[in-house]
Amino acid sequence: MSVPASYIDLSETVRYGVVDGIAVVVLANPPVNGLSNHMRIGMDAGIRKGMDDPAVKAIVLTGDPAGKGFCGGADLRQLNTAAGREGPSIHDMFDYIASAPKAVVAAIHGFALGGGLETALGCHFRIAEKNANLGLPEANLGLLPGGGGTQRLPRLIGAVPAMDMMLTAAPVNGERGAELGIVEASFTGDPIEAGVAWALQNAVGVSDLPVVANNPVPDADSVDLAAAHAAIRPNARNGRAQHAIINCVEGAINATTFADGMAVEQREFRELVASPEAAALQYQFFAEKEAAKVIGLSKETALRPVNSLAVIGAGTMGGGIAMVFANAGIPVTLIEQGAEQLERGVSIIKGNYEATAAKGRLSAEQVATRVGLITPTLELEAAKDADLIIEAVFEDLEVKKELFTKLDAIAKPGAILATNTSRLDIDQIAAVTSRPQDVIGLHFFSPANVMKLLEVVRADKTADDVIATSMKLAQKVGKIAVLARICDGFIGNRMLSPYVREAHFLLEEGASPQQLDGALQAFGLAMGPIAMGDLAGLDVAAAGRRRQRELLPSGVRFSKVADIVVDAGRLGQKTGAGFYKYEAGNRKPIPDPEVEQIIEKCAADAGITRRAITDEEIVEREMLALVNEGAKLLDEGIAQRASDIDVIYTNGYGFPAYRGGPMHWASQQGLDVVLEKIKKLREVHGEYFWTPAPLIERLVAEGKTTF
């Protein structure tokens, strides 16, 4: 399918032709047909050309059939720029269509998202390919549909379903779109052919052309706007945008005229565009796209085939990893050394799928298919034909080295050998094999079948095609991949160490666990560091704390609080007590005076006079600990970009996306301000922990205020 050669160019991105008396305006700016100035100029010219031609009976607006879709929405890079204001606005175009004598039909294939769907809503009629995605996902970027979507969609399908689509940012397919009334019909095949055929049969000669803007909101009396506002979580990623969307729907319901509702939409849109939350979410959007690119790696690097997988270890992590690949349709051999452990692992996998099905997110058939893709076995030899082998065994270097020695003898040539270690030296693991070029780290985050982040860790001898394959495979299975080099903890967990260290120091200096966690949750984190430790299990980090303590020079401060809590048998939620107490069946942390006594004794033993600590100090000190370590990782080449660090922290550690990530937060403060604050902490707490990262000092010396 392609645009006929007879079509003419109306702009750099739009083509025009006439078929059987139907003018066809084709959006042709791959891959997403963004609504740039060139696109708007061409669209407007094409629609007017068709209107002015007496031989034309109706107009079809569609995407290039050879491309991926109809239109992916606004060109974000032109937001608030001169180019973004050049040429006719889409509002001008919609006003022209509304008063036009000939029908304009949007024929959608692939996708119509954001401004793309709004463009279709501005037409008289819409048809969509059955599997096309239709949606208004602007809330994910901290924005709202600013092309009339908050006003037209409620008038077309009702306020309740329209609000649900906008608040969840979830698309519907063309078939469902027809059921909802977003489109008149769904089709299969070439959008030009389908559009022309539908227009000839249904749109030609219609005297009273439907204009969505003229409709009332059909379910206006049944909408509970207060409940909609109350349902938004205080720390929701895009909460500000969601509240604004509800305000716009209220504007549509209460509007005397369409223009009244549009005034509400434009006011709310302008406020969001200028907000730091929207800037941070758009920064995140581009950061995630950038993270997929490997600096210095040729785009022509051939990928290794990954059509089968073996996972070693059927515990929580191994089972979750198996689900990740089964969900993507890739067969998995799940290997465990004990029958009981294997049976338990398979049972948990089935339970997870059944729980998802119970919520209506999977059919019984889908559950059966995915479970059927996972083959459990006790034989390590079963990994011999796998294209990719991922070990998810106990986090012990010697255990992993022993396993990789065995895998080296079993795996077929060219198989990728991956470790799920969260902090161990992958070079040492690779060194026990005869094929270190095939070894890589794939650090999934728990629960692996839920968490989107994947740290891809390249070892010293990892081959380029193994790196490229791993990054591409991550996208295929729905993960956001970030490339790292080897150090203790890689990117995320290495930064976590000073973050947790400062949390424990702050406890000794006067903060309570609940104050510390509360301050960081109020800042936007999903969970504070103390509650996070209880959730993960305080014993899990015990070995790391011991290793860190052994490396410290004599006389350097080290908090014993966590170790004493662990020695008391308080390992966190799994034992019903950690830094907090927990009631059976309830994850809510309950402050415990016993822990407060432990903290006070540790402070006294260390000669620390406790004091009142503000929430502001807690947040600032914790953020600066993250930022300073992140800057060191950048300088050492462990992380490729500052934005990669932010992608890791927002997707793997509960950092609020609407603040962009720790490095973005630092840039917003100004690196000169950050440097001065780190220097003040050095004066109070010593240079061992608070020596400014050389990169920050260099950037400030060069007059730069951002990473």
Side-chain angles (χ1 to χ4, degrees), residues 303-311 318-334 349 353 366-376 385-390 412 416 442 444 454 469-479:
L303 303 181
R304 298 192 188 187
V306 179
N307 299 312
S308 62
L309 183 84
V311 176
I321 294 171
M323 290 178 68
V324 168
F325 288 89
N327 292 345
I330 299 174
V332 181
T333 301
L334 183 61
I349 289 171
Y353 278 131
Q366 287 173 313
V367 169
T369 298
R370 295 180 188 195
V371 171
L373 284 168
I374 302 173
T375 303
D385 295 321
D387 296 319
L388 168 64
I389 303 173
I390 303 175
K412 68 181 182 181
I416 298 173
L442 295 179
F444 290 83
L454 175 64
T469 301
S470 298
M471 297 295 285
K472 193 68 177 179
L473 183 63
Q475 292 180 332
K476 181 178 179 180
V477 300
K479 298 299 180 186

Side-chain angles (χ1 to χ4, degrees), residues 320 323-324 327 445-453 478-479 651:
M323 290 178 68
V324 168
N327 292 345
F445 285 69
S446 187
N449 54 302
V450 175
M451 297 293 283
K452 294 178 68 177
L453 180 65
K479 298 299 180 186
N651 288 284

Side-chain angles (χ1 to χ4, degrees), residues 603-614:
D605 290 346
I608 296 169
T609 301
R610 303 188 83 213
R611 60 185 173 83
I613 292 178
T614 65

